[in-house]
Amino acid sequence: EVPGVKSAALSFFIPATIDFMQRAVIPEGYDFPPGQESTVVFADVVDHHYFETLGVPILRGRGFLASDIANSPPVAIVNEAFAQKYLGPNPIGKRIRLNNAKSPWVEIVGMTVTGKHVFNTEPPLEFLYLPLSQNPLPRMTMVVETAGDPVGLIGPMREMVRSVDPNLPIFRVRTMDDLFEQRTVKSLRVLNGVFASAGFVGL
């Protein structure tokens, strides 16, 4: 409802941060080495507007829907790296278990691109997305796509959130450009400086 906002979504993990989670996964039909029952992958819990808001392409299948609710069949979305390693080139309709062999089956309904999550120099990582409606969490982050300068909408967005719940804390508000600059460009400069200093000391 805020003028200038194109889309908004909720996510536990925001790209270029370190607030990621990991989940133990058992892909149906995958043969693990002896003594291993599952694999641990990076994961995120998101709502059904996430892929649209962050511009994450769905290569196969679909994104999450408003109809993916708590009492409907459990669903998940994987990235292409996960599919290629554990499910094959077309993972749609295949199933996984979360945590252990006694947990219910979760159907894969979509496959996304393999993107960068923490650093732009990271290797391709297997990644799993779970719908917020089926995996509720006490803390989420709102991501907002704007039609213009996002800084000018911080005030109106704060007012909108307070109108919904005046007790809801709002903190660490920043743009993705600032976050990217801090986590990638500046971090690489710091690392380059450390390596250069170490090399100088070595000489």
Side-chain angles (χ1 to χ4, degrees), residues 27 71 110 121 146 152 161 165 167 185 188-189:
N71 58 0
T121 56
T146 66
V161 172
D165 184 353
N167 296 315
V185 179
L188 289 175
R189 287 174 181 168

Side-chain angles (χ1 to χ4, degrees), residues 13-191:
F13 167 73
I14 303 301
T17 70
I18 57 174
D19 294 330
F20 55 82
M21 63 174 65
Q22 293 179 303
R23 296 295 297 265
V25 178
I26 305 174
E28 185 176 21
Y30 185 81
D31 292 326
F32 288 105
Q36 181 179 347
E37 297 181 352
S38 64
T39 185
V40 176
V41 300
F42 291 104
D44 193 10
V45 172
V46 303
D47 73 1
H48 59 285
H49 295 294
Y50 176 84
F51 300 101
E52 168 197 355
T53 302
L54 269 76
V56 179
I58 302 291
L59 300 179
R60 289 182 178 270
R62 63 171 176 86
F64 295 132
L65 304 175
S67 56
D68 294 321
I69 56 178
N71 58 0
S72 62
V75 295
I77 293 173
V78 298
N79 70 352
E80 193 172 18
F82 185 106
Q84 289 178 347
K85 185 169 183 178
Y86 297 111
L87 301 173
N90 186 9
I92 308 306
K94 296 185 178 179
R95 304 187 299 175
I96 61 174
R97 293 188 193 272
L98 302 175
N99 302 324
N100 56 63
K102 296 182 179 180
S103 61
W105 287 110
V106 177
E107 182 182 355
I108 306 301
V109 295
M111 181 180 73
T112 71
V113 296
T114 300
K116 303 295 184 180
H117 300 284
V118 181
F119 295 105
N120 62 352
T121 56
E122 70 187 28
L125 299 175
E126 297 86 32
F127 207 86
L128 171 72
Y129 297 92
L130 301 170
L132 175 62
S133 54
Q134 297 179 345
N135 302 268
L137 295 175
R139 180 186 69 81
M140 300 291 288
T141 297
M142 177 175 286
V143 187
V144 179
E145 180 190 11
T146 66
D149 181 14
V151 176
L153 291 175
I154 292 177
M157 287 188 291
R158 285 181 181 270
E159 294 177 4
M160 176 61 74
V161 172
R162 290 195 177 101
S163 72
V164 176
D165 184 353
N167 296 315
L168 193 65
I170 305 173
F171 58 95
R172 296 176 67 187
V173 180
R174 49 191 166 171
T175 66
M176 286 299 294
D177 285 344
D178 290 341
L179 182 59
F180 180 81
E181 175 77 15
Q182 184 69 34
R183 291 290 300 164
T184 58
V185 179
K186 290 184 178 179
S187 296
L188 289 175
R189 287 174 181 168
V190 170
L191 287 175

